[in-house]
Amino acid sequence: MQRRRRPARVLVIPGDGVGPEVVEAALRVLRAASTRCGAWIETRTAPAGDAAAKRLGSPLPPETRRLAEHWADAILKGPVGETAAEVVIPLRRIAGAYANIRPARSLPGVEPVKPIDLVIVRENLEGLYSGIEWEVPGAAFAVKVATEAETRRVARTAAEYASRRRRRVTIVDKSNVLRRVDGLFRRAAMDEIKKLYPGIEVDAMYVDAAAMEMVRNPMRFDVVLTMNQYGDILSDLAAQVAGGLGLAPSANIGEGKALFEPVHGAAWDIAGKGVANPTAMILSAALMLDWLGYGEAASAVERAVEETLARGEKTPDLGGGLTTMEYAERVADRVSCTGGAGGW
Ligand code: IPM
Ligand code: MN
């Protein structure tokens, strides 16, 4: 394990809707991992989202932004409501988070649509999320951006993941229509991986065909490398194939800072009832532990989630009868590491 001279600084953003509930559940598990696996973490909590906008006049208040920029090593963020884009896109930029890692895999005790075990590596700063958009009377425009440098950088991330998995990267784009922008993405990504990772098999698919294949034969995919908006859409699709959005975590990785959040949204319909499934949030915390250098703690949390689900101890969305916190307690109780002391 990496030796730290100070605890890792985690900025916690509870968010809106089911956010505060699933974040509390994830913190419960994180504390267990911290104590039992020696993950040395310090947390601070800050507001962002719809409630923050109402109360403080901004969805990403200056103090939250300041902590994210100047204090945090990592940000652990719950889902946000209507203002989600105004929170998450600036946070991704603050973190310089060029790669959005979204694993989707079938878990024990959860009925998938089809068995699936893939990772979507989504380019996270460019594409149609460039923020360059304007209107004139009767028309509106958005600029889709792909730069060679960003494409190559995220391609290396995809190849790194693949080299620890089934050694295959599938590039997903629509370069038959967007010949220039998607064409550059495909060419640069393909070239980078072939040049630097000769042991990795690379192929490419158009996004429509990839969507169909992801439902028809998901095990065909190992690592899917794709552009920002396609990754947004395909990651919801893959999550549903795996058993539901309540299970899907994500990591937004920058060079020295990263943001971890569930793929799902605020789920207002079940907010405040204590029944939301915190698995996606807990697994996002596990991805964070791994990124912080606490790999053993991360694996312990993943194992604890799997054991809990395998025993049929689940929240109502998966046909179980546990509340959010009851489920989190069961997971926390099963977090175990050999040796390792620490705590926060
Ligand atoms: C996601 C969300 C965000 C995105 C929105 C809220 C900006 O849908 O994280 O998948 O599109 O990236
Ligand atoms: Mn999305």
Side-chain angles (χ1 to χ4, degrees):
M1 184 187 300
Q2 182 179 323
R3 284 273 151 236
R4 292 185 163 271
R5 284 165 36 229
R6 59 161 176 81
R9 293 172 180 158
V10 175
L11 182 65
V12 177
I13 297 179
D16 298 314
V18 298
E21 302 161 54
V22 295
V23 166
E24 196 196 331
L27 289 176
R28 173 73 188 81
V29 176
L30 205 52
R31 268 183 219 110
S34 178
T35 320
R36 290 184 220 138
C37 307
W40 196 21
I41 286 168
E42 176 187 357
T43 62
R44 286 178 77 162
T45 302
D50 299 1
K54 209 176 258 173
R55 199 157 51 84
L56 303 162
S58 162
L60 188 61
E63 177 62 4
T64 305
R65 184 185 278 272
R66 194 188 65 77
L67 289 168
E69 242 179 289
H70 301 294
W71 181 79
D73 298 314
I75 303 162
L76 186 64
K77 181 195 139 297
V80 167
E82 269 310 303
T83 55
E86 290 141 83
V87 174
V88 79
I89 291 177
L91 285 178
R92 285 174 185 161
R93 293 193 185 285
I94 286 170
Y98 61 90
N100 193 328
I101 314 293
R102 299 189 155 186
R105 72 185 162 97
S106 7
L107 290 163
V110 179
E111 191 60 45
V113 174
K114 286 265 175 66
I116 183 169
D117 182 7
L118 59 78
V119 176
I120 294 175
V121 176
R122 163 184 177 189
E123 192 292 310
N124 211 30
L125 296 172
E126 308 189 321
L128 270 175
Y129 284 54
S130 69
I132 310 168
E133 217 190 354
W134 72 96
E135 256 183 281
V136 297
F141 306 85
V143 175
K144 184 168 184 179
V145 177
T147 64
E148 182 125 3
E150 283 298 337
T151 305
R152 288 183 185 272
R153 178 159 69 150
V154 74
R156 293 193 293 275
T157 304
E160 288 294 332
Y161 271 82
S163 58
R164 278 172 271 133
R165 297 174 44 94
R166 304 198 305 275
R167 310 184 72 79
R168 177 183 223 184
V169 175
T170 303
I171 301 165
V172 171
D173 58 61
K174 189 76 182 176
S175 54
N176 51 340
V177 177
L178 294 161
R179 291 195 180 273
R180 287 177 186 272
V181 64
D182 287 32
L184 182 147
F185 185 84
R186 179 182 288 206
R187 270 195 317 278
M190 184 81 77
D191 181 68
E192 188 75 359
I193 298 170
K194 284 196 168 149
K195 198 174 67 194
L196 296 178
Y197 299 86
I200 302 285
E201 188 192 332
V202 206
D203 63 350
M205 281 177 96
Y206 298 133
V207 63
D208 49 350
M212 185 193 71
E213 275 304 287
M214 216 171 265
V215 175
R216 200 182 67 89
N217 179 21
M219 285 306 290
R220 182 223 175 278
F221 296 101
D222 179 21
V223 173
V224 174
L225 168 62
T226 192
M227 303 180 85
N228 212 336
Q229 191 187 34
Y230 306 140
D232 178 40
I233 298 165
L234 290 176
S235 58
D236 271 35
L237 189 152
Q240 191 57 43
V241 171
L245 267 183
L247 303 169
S250 80
N252 299 258
I253 306 291
E255 298 290 358
K257 212 187 269 290
L259 160 70
F260 302 84
E261 54 178 349
V263 174
H264 66 74
W268 289 107
D269 52 327
I270 55 165
K273 298 190 177 143
V275 295
N277 185 351
T279 304
M281 195 72 227
I282 293 169
L283 292 176
S284 299
L287 293 175
M288 180 182 79
L289 286 168
D290 192 45
W291 183 79
L292 289 170
Y294 300 125
E296 209 193 325
S299 309
V301 169
E302 280 172 14
R303 274 198 314 272
V305 166
E306 285 176 16
E307 263 176 62
T308 305
L309 291 172
R311 283 166 196 258
E313 299 172 12
K314 303 184 232 179
T315 44
D317 58 309
L318 298 178
L322 297 181
T323 67
T324 306
M325 271 325 269
E326 283 167 353
Y327 172 80
E329 291 290 342
R330 309 269 173 113
V331 173
D333 286 347
R334 292 196 174 98
V335 173
S336 91
C337 280
T338 44
W344 51 0

